[in-house]
Amino acid sequence: MKRVFSAFWQRWLARRMPPSSEFTLSHRSIFILPSGFGFVWLGLVLLLYLFGTNYQNNLVIGLSILLLSLFNTCILYSYKNLAGLRLRALTPPEVYAGETITFPILLNSNHSSHHISLNYPNNLGYLVKHVGTQDEQALVSFANQQRGIVSARRLKIESTYPLGLCRAWSHIDLDNAHIVYAQPLESPLQLEAATESGQDEPLERAGKYIAGIDEYKGLKPHVLGESLKQVAWKQWAQGRGMLTKEFEQPQGDPVWLKLAPDPTHLEQQLSQLSWQVNRLSQLEQYFGLWLQQPDGEDIILAPALGNSHRIACQRALALYGAHTQTPDKSDKSSVNHGFSHKPNIPPHRHSTQTASDVEDRL
């Protein structure tokens, strides 16, 4: 019975208050009932009224009416405390399975609101003592043990202001689903290298970058004695100081992290790959990710480096097996499809940038 009522309640809330990343509380979304203390207060009012009428004591009857009026006034102030409250969801920070997700939420109101509690079901609450016209940030926690797309569902906003006689609350869905990465599990690096020449490269050198002239790396402060040909003259003309352009080139062929899924140890494999992705990113090593799928096309992220590539790999690991969606195309690292069940890892061809190309781009 409880499960049926809960399902009906959630469907009714979804129709009345559909998911939105920004929400303003109004009469359609605020509910008010007496609190435990409020029920005791009403019981006292009833008791005083019966006592006054039984003994024909006008003073006691007047006191009961006064207390009832005060209770009615609290209903209005409890509603006003939440009415007009605006909530906006922000993007949560990166989180791994087993860690607590912290959902940042901005609150503001066109009037002063006091003592507002926010919490997700079965999680600790966050108390905001005062909300005004300026944005106030609340960090609402949500315990989670699973990887993948996690939705905290509806946020409960609650207040017993001003006297604790009434409890005003609302349940809103801020549509802030978040991708939780696989929990990193330290393990030896299991790398594979594919060479066009057919000769094996030492894995401790393959995929790393060294100083060279092939690809543009960035700018660094100019050191006396360095060639003036590498000076970023445009930046110098803009008043940014004397800077030198850095170039690099790959050492050997890129390395790959590969997943051959074992249904009995899949989560452990994904956790190990999650740690290895972070480790290779810390080492600034050029690597790719190949996730084999028993059903459907394999997911292949072309070799790259940088934080955007690390995030793309972690997203692919987090979503593996959940659905066929791959990391966003907006990621700087490319995602290739159609390489399922191929016997060899496709070699990666590096793009070459000359100094004149970089100068034009800057």
Side-chain angles (χ1 to χ4, degrees):
M1 186 65 181
K2 182 178 180 181
R3 183 178 301 176
V4 174
F5 176 76
S6 178
F8 172 78
W9 172 252
Q10 293 298 328
R11 288 195 299 269
W12 184 82
L13 286 176
R15 291 194 302 269
R16 190 174 181 87
M17 295 176 287
S20 175
S21 60
E22 188 169 352
F23 199 91
T24 302
L25 299 182
S26 64
H27 66 281
R28 288 180 54 85
S29 54
I30 299 176
F31 310 95
I32 302 177
L33 280 177
S35 62
F37 177 52
F39 280 112
V40 173
W41 186 280
L42 291 176
L44 177 63
V45 169
L46 179 60
L47 182 63
L48 290 175
Y49 181 77
L50 293 177
F51 179 85
T53 55
N54 185 52
Y55 290 96
Q56 298 181 356
N57 190 322
N58 292 333
L59 182 61
V60 176
I61 294 176
L63 178 60
S64 66
I65 294 176
L66 176 63
L67 295 180
L68 184 61
S69 301
L70 182 61
F71 181 87
N72 184 67
T73 303
C74 286
I75 296 177
L76 300 178
Y77 275 91
S78 297
Y79 166 77
K80 183 181 178 182
N81 191 49
L82 292 186
L85 183 67
R86 291 183 293 272
L87 300 96
R88 180 162 58 93
L90 301 180
T91 303
E94 290 184 9
V95 65
Y96 296 88
E99 298 179 349
T100 299
I101 307 175
T102 301
F103 289 97
I105 300 173
L106 290 182
L107 301 91
N108 63 70
S109 178
N110 52 13
H111 59 84
S112 294
S113 299
H114 306 274
H115 292 85
I116 298 174
S117 175
L118 300 95
N119 74 287
Y120 287 106
N122 303 319
N123 283 271
L124 297 176
Y126 187 95
L127 180 63
V128 182
K129 293 185 178 180
H130 178 265
V131 178
T133 56
Q134 300 295 328
D135 287 338
E136 183 76 20
Q137 180 172 282
L139 302 176
V140 187
S141 61
F142 182 80
N144 173 70
Q145 300 295 328
Q146 303 296 325
R147 65 176 176 88
I149 299 179
V150 174
S151 176
R153 301 300 178 93
R154 292 193 172 270
L155 175 70
K156 183 178 181 181
I157 303 103
E158 184 179 13
S159 176
T160 57
Y161 180 84
L163 298 179
L165 296 176
C166 297
R167 184 173 68 94
W169 80 96
S170 182
H171 294 273
I172 64 173
D173 189 347
L174 290 176
D175 195 21
N176 52 355
H178 190 49
I179 294 182
V180 178
Y181 301 154
Q183 183 179 13
L185 181 61
E186 186 173 355
S187 63
L189 292 174
Q190 300 174 359
L191 305 175
E192 297 185 17
T195 63
E196 297 182 2
S197 61
Q199 298 178 356
D200 294 335
E201 290 284 344
L203 294 183
E204 63 272 11
R205 289 190 300 146
K208 290 189 176 181
Y209 268 72
I210 60 175
I213 60 173
D214 287 345
E215 297 186 12
Y216 174 73
K217 180 180 180 181
L219 299 174
K220 68 172 185 178
H222 179 73
V223 177
L224 186 63
E226 291 182 334
S227 174
L228 295 180
K229 294 181 180 180
Q230 303 297 330
V231 173
W233 295 110
K234 287 186 178 180
Q235 282 67 25
W236 180 80
Q238 294 171 358
R240 296 172 55 183
M242 187 75 77
L243 301 174
T244 300
K245 296 188 290 289
E246 281 189 296
F247 293 85
E248 59 186 4
Q249 65 185 24
Q251 184 180 16
D253 291 310
V255 293
W256 291 79
L257 293 175
K258 183 177 178 181
L259 172 67
D262 180 3
T264 59
H265 301 91
L266 178 59
E267 293 302 322
Q268 181 180 355
Q269 290 178 305
L270 294 174
S271 295
Q272 291 176 347
L273 285 175
S274 176
W275 182 87
Q276 293 173 18
V277 166
N278 289 340
R279 181 58 178 166
L280 291 177
S281 299
Q282 291 175 357
L283 297 176
E284 298 184 351
Q285 189 159 350
Y286 208 82
F287 70 96
L289 181 65
W290 185 3
L291 305 178
Q292 295 181 351
Q293 297 194 108
D295 301 323
E297 297 178 345
D298 292 356
I299 301 175
I300 298 180
L301 279 75
L305 51 76
N307 190 55
S308 60
H309 180 60
R310 180 189 66 83
I311 293 175
C313 293
Q314 291 289 4
R315 286 169 58 90
L317 293 172
L319 301 178
Y320 182 83
H323 45 74
T324 56
Q325 180 181 354
T326 53
D328 296 341
K329 294 181 179 180
S330 59
D331 291 332
K332 295 181 180 180
S333 54
S334 58
V335 180
N336 301 327
H337 300 277
F339 293 97
S340 58
H341 308 295
K342 290 199 173 185
N344 296 318
I345 299 176
H348 174 72
R349 293 177 173 81
H350 303 285
S351 60
T352 303
Q353 303 179 63
T354 62
S356 58
D357 295 333
V358 175
E359 183 71 23
D360 293 338
R361 192 172 68 183
L362 294 175

